[in-house]
Amino acid sequence: MPKRLSQKGDCFIIEDLCPPFCHELWNCAYPSVYALQNGAILDYGNGKASAFDVKCPDGGRVTIHGILIDD
């Protein structure tokens, strides 16, 4: 059975490993993921939040909206 590509609306819980999507996109998102995992509050729009948005460096075809989920 062929591996399914990530689809719109997919949700990934990031703990310590790269999720199953493009490594170039992960390379862009990882600094924000790391910062949130270590207590940072990021600039987000006109304010600050425990969230970020990042677009694929390959023409912005994929966008990630990352949020911190409290346990």
Side-chain angles (χ1 to χ4, degrees), residues 29-46:
Y30 182 73
S32 296
V33 170
Y34 183 82
L36 291 178
Q37 288 177 329
N38 288 282
I41 303 296
L42 305 174
D43 291 334
Y44 189 74
N46 292 328

Side-chain angles (χ1 to χ4, degrees), residues 23-56:
H23 288 268
E24 287 80 10
L25 180 55
W26 176 243
N27 189 49
C28 293
Y30 182 73
S32 296
V33 170
Y34 183 82
L36 291 178
Q37 288 177 329
N38 288 282
I41 303 296
L42 305 174
D43 291 334
Y44 189 74
N46 292 328
K48 297 202 177 271
S50 296
F52 66 92
D53 295 310
V54 65
K55 288 187 177 187
C56 174

Side-chain angles (χ1 to χ4, degrees), residues 8-35:
K8 182 176 181 175
D10 281 355
C11 180
F12 300 97
I13 305 297
I14 309 298
E15 293 180 291
D16 60 354
L17 296 175
C18 177
F21 54 75
C22 169
H23 288 268
E24 287 80 10
L25 180 55
W26 176 243
N27 189 49
C28 293
Y30 182 73
S32 296
V33 170
Y34 183 82

